[in-house]
Amino acid sequence: MISVIIPSYNSENTISKCLDSLEDQSYTGDFEIIVVDSSHDRTSEIISTNYPEVKLTHLNKRTDPGTARNIGIGQATWDLIAFLDSDCVPARDWVERIVSAHAHESSCHIIGGIVKNGSDRDDPVGCAGYMAEFRDFLPRKDKQEVTHIPTCNVSYKKRIFRDFGLFQGKYYPQEDLIFNYNLWNQGESILLDPAIQVWHHHRSRLKDFLYHQNRIGRATSRVLRTIPLQGSFIARCSLLATCLLPFITLVKFVKTIRIFLRCQPGFIKECPLVLPVFALGLVCWAIGFVGSL
């Protein structure tokens, strides 16, 4: 009934929790797990030894997640394809809820869910990563149509890829944003169902977090020059972007804090050191944004 595709790079510390949670799903129908791995650590060995039922493809050269997902799509057996990241742990009813949502929302061919923080609350770097990337996908009450859902918790009918093509890896780490915007812009509905849940474990090393935020800033600049999202006119004018970026960074900081105070009021209180780390991440994001211009 459903194919679950997981792109992987150096996931030896997280892949077992991810695959164990898939083996323990409440769903009783048929589903397959496809991992496309380009690691140089023990990830492939762990999968081959402990999870023989997983369809594993190991690539000798590091591959961006979008390209890895495209390879997995080509191997998928079923008409319904769900994507999960190797550092995520889905809820026990994750597969069941995805299948049920597509059955009840037959006119909607793209359905995903919310992202919960899987990092320890005493890890300010991991919590800052959660604040930086998933403020728009926090737990909520109601289903709603959106323009984007990240590929760590989203599913598509296979015909989407036949009709609209595949992910563009050159936009990593925002290739999913480009892909979903193009789908939405061409009339496809994207449904966010808060009952479909995953826990995302984030980078816990400050150096890795800052580098990734810089990379997101560079990708955001390229994306805004490609598709007409809010702020595109700024990204298309280097001088304007350079002048306004301190203000934009401050607005992102304040807006994110307000969202967390409203939706998860205890999050910042339990880990107050997250704020300076998050602010430092925004500075790196801004440097990447300007550098890409």
Side-chain angles (χ1 to χ4, degrees), residues 237-254:
C237 178
S238 299
L239 179 60
L240 182 63
T242 303
C243 293
L244 291 180
L245 205 56
F247 173 73
I248 295 171
T249 304
L250 178 61
V251 170
K252 284 174 65 69
F253 182 78
V254 173

Side-chain angles (χ1 to χ4, degrees), residues 98-240:
I98 289 175
V99 173
S100 176
H102 278 276
H104 287 90
E105 305 285 347
S106 57
S107 62
C108 186
H109 295 171
I110 309 144
I111 300 176
I114 62 168
V115 181
K116 293 186 173 182
N117 180 36
S119 299
D120 294 333
R121 288 297 178 92
D122 59 357
D123 176 11
V125 177
C127 290
Y130 182 59
M131 289 187 70
E133 297 183 48
F134 296 109
R135 72 180 191 189
D136 295 325
F137 306 98
L138 302 180
R140 61 193 70 197
K141 293 181 179 180
D142 301 321
K143 297 180 182 179
Q144 58 184 276
E145 287 196 12
V146 295
T147 59
H148 171 60
I149 298 175
T151 39
C152 64
N153 187 15
V154 71
S155 59
Y156 304 82
K157 289 292 183 64
K158 187 181 282 188
R159 75 99 182 154
I160 290 291
F161 303 105
R162 291 194 298 265
D163 292 351
F164 298 99
L166 301 172
F167 295 100
Q168 300 180 61
K170 65 181 180 180
Y171 289 107
Y172 172 73
Q174 297 208 335
E175 75 286 350
D176 52 354
L177 176 59
I178 285 267
F179 184 72
N180 288 328
Y181 173 83
N182 288 334
L183 294 175
W184 173 81
N185 193 45
Q186 296 182 72
E188 292 292 334
S189 297
I190 302 175
L191 180 66
L192 179 65
D193 183 345
I196 301 171
Q197 303 179 358
V198 302
W199 282 259
H200 194 293
H201 293 83
H202 302 272
R203 295 164 179 82
S204 58
R205 292 176 54 193
L206 181 61
K207 179 181 178 182
D208 296 339
F209 165 69
L210 297 180
Y211 175 77
H212 188 61
Q213 292 307 304
N214 181 271
R215 183 165 51 187
I216 291 176
R218 297 197 304 269
T220 299
S221 178
R222 294 196 303 273
V223 167
L224 289 178
R225 296 197 303 272
T226 304
I227 57 178
L229 296 174
Q230 184 180 16
S232 291
F233 72 97
I234 297 175
R236 290 168 184 161
C237 178
S238 299
L239 179 60
L240 182 63

Side-chain angles (χ1 to χ4, degrees), residues 256-272:
T256 301
I257 291 175
R258 285 180 174 175
I259 290 173
F260 271 84
L261 290 177
R262 183 177 71 250
C263 299
Q264 292 192 354
F267 185 86
I268 296 174
K269 182 179 180 180
E270 292 177 13
C271 186

Side-chain angles (χ1 to χ4, degrees), residues 276-288:
V277 178
F278 173 55
L280 189 58
L282 281 176
V283 171
C284 290
W285 175 89
I287 292 172

